[in-house]
Amino acid sequence: MDQRPDNRTEIRDFLASRRAKITPEEVGLPTSGRRRVPGLRREEVAVLAGVSTEWYTRLEKGHISGVSEDVVEAVAQALQLDDDERTYLFDLARAARPARRTPTRRKDVPIPPRIQWMLDSMTMASAHVHNGRQDIVANNPLARALFAPMFDSNTTDRRGRPNFARYIFLDPDSRHFFVDWDKAAGVTAALLRAEAGREPHDRALRDLIGDLSTLSPEFRALWAAHDVRIQHDGVKKFRHPEVGPLELTYQGMQLPLSDRAVHGLTIYAAEPGTPSEDRFKLLTSLAVTESPTTDDEPRRI
């Protein structure tokens, strides 16, 4: 039986949103007269991709099943997709293909002890592992101290796991904790969008997106923008309740723990010689003092 998800709406909206962001001038096409739509017309994308207008129109309506990878790549180039957007489009195309067997339900995988040992060995950096739904599934003491507002939020799950998306969009205190809340919210929604393309059968992910869409108008607006993010790094500013303002550099990287589930390792550190380094060292000492040793707050989940 064909068990592919009906993701035609996602394909249509994503391609249309990317098309709207490009002007004819940017791709060297002539312009004349009034334009009824922002960005490129469908026929202009078709010309750039080397396909017929009828064919591209059908593609943008979500009929991507059976399309060759070469054609998908041509469309990605025509729309000037970045690496993350290109990966997302290929994920959508892959998910739309007929499945030979019923897709298995993705299961969360346990975090191996070696990963927790690795996290605990990082004493001067905050380090945590998250899954594709943005649950923190393992962390070191400094990560627990850094993200204390998230761990203490009523948006954690029954196992005490914080979730970046639930905290950012459903806890009003997140607007104080994240100095640039708008950017944090946009990146988080874009990360979930990429995960939805990878795992359209993940029921827990669908439930999360449904909850956020119902309860947060900000999330609904960002979700409708169809922005995608896979790589995650940069500088982030916090207002920490115990040590004050922090400006930390962070780097995310993929952590291959299973063939199905996506996990990421994210490390935060302060630039040497800055006031944030002094405050981060204070937080480090507090983390050592307050490191949980009881069974009611495990660091590995």
Side-chain angles (χ1 to χ4, degrees):
M1 181 181 295
D2 184 356
Q3 295 291 329
R4 69 182 183 230
D6 187 359
N7 61 357
R8 287 176 293 181
T9 299
E10 286 77 13
I11 296 167
R12 180 197 66 203
D13 292 346
F14 177 67
L15 291 177
S17 68
R18 299 311 97 171
R19 176 166 59 85
K21 290 188 173 185
I22 305 174
T23 65
E25 293 84 357
E26 289 177 316
V27 293
L29 291 176
T31 58
S32 60
R34 296 180 59 186
R35 302 179 67 87
R36 293 180 300 172
V37 295
L40 296 178
R41 299 187 178 103
R42 286 175 174 172
E43 57 266 28
E44 291 170 332
V45 177
V47 169
L48 293 170
V51 299
S52 69
T53 300
E54 292 76 15
W55 191 94
Y56 178 76
T57 298
R58 176 176 170 78
L59 175 63
E60 195 174 287
K61 289 181 178 180
H63 301 285
I64 202 171
S65 176
V67 175
S68 70
E69 291 191 354
D70 289 342
V71 171
V72 176
E73 178 63 37
V75 170
Q77 291 182 11
L79 293 174
Q80 299 183 354
L81 303 187
D82 62 25
D83 290 342
D84 290 353
E85 292 169 331
R86 177 186 175 277
T87 299
Y88 178 67
L89 179 59
F90 272 87
D91 284 339
L92 291 176
R94 204 170 292 116
R97 293 169 186 158
R100 295 183 179 179
R101 58 183 180 181
T102 302
T104 58
R105 182 178 179 181
R106 184 174 66 168
K107 298 180 180 179
D108 291 335
V109 298
I111 304 301
R114 69 178 186 278
I115 300 298
Q116 188 62 58
W117 302 339
M118 177 185 68
L119 296 176
D120 289 339
S121 71
M122 303 180 194
T123 57
M124 295 300 295
S126 162
H128 70 265
V129 176
H130 61 269
N131 59 23
R133 296 187 295 270
Q134 299 302 301
D135 299 311
I136 293 183
V137 295
N139 57 271
N140 67 359
L142 188 49
R144 173 63 178 83
L146 174 61
F147 292 108
M150 283 180 53
F151 280 87
D152 297 337
S153 171
N154 59 10
T155 59
T156 58
D157 66 12
R158 289 177 297 176
R159 289 180 282 177
R161 297 191 310 187
N163 177 279
F164 279 98
R166 288 191 182 276
Y167 176 68
I168 287 173
F169 291 105
L170 302 182
D171 191 328
D173 289 343
S174 67
R175 294 178 180 271
H176 178 77
F177 181 60
F178 291 101
V179 173
D180 193 344
W181 184 90
D182 289 339
K183 182 177 180 181
V187 168
T188 300
L191 289 168
L192 287 181
R193 172 66 72 179
E195 179 68 1
R198 280 190 299 261
E199 289 292 340
H201 298 283
D202 188 336
R203 181 178 299 175
L205 176 62
R206 294 199 304 269
D207 290 344
L208 172 62
I209 293 169
D211 289 345
L212 296 175
S213 298
T214 300
L215 299 172
S216 171
E218 293 87 355
F219 179 81
R220 286 198 300 272
L222 290 168
W223 193 250
H226 284 265
D227 290 334
V228 179
R229 187 79 173 264
I230 296 175
Q231 301 301 323
H232 193 30
D233 55 69
V235 176
K236 193 169 292 185
K237 296 179 181 180
F238 305 92
R239 297 184 188 94
H240 197 275
E242 292 193 72
V243 300
L246 287 171
E247 182 173 314
L248 304 177
T249 298
Y250 67 98
Q251 179 66 52
M253 59 198 77
Q254 294 295 317
L255 193 63
L257 297 181
S258 76
D259 293 336
R260 286 288 306 279
V262 172
H263 288 85
L265 169 65
T266 305
I267 301 172
Y268 286 81
E271 181 179 350
T274 64
S276 286
E277 183 189 29
D278 296 333
R279 298 187 186 104
F280 208 43
K281 286 180 178 178
L282 174 58
L283 188 62
T284 301
S285 65
L286 294 174
V288 172
T289 303
E290 301 173 3
S291 179
T293 56
T294 59
D295 292 337
D296 62 340
E297 195 173 324
R299 281 180 286 125
R300 181 168 61 87
I301 303 171

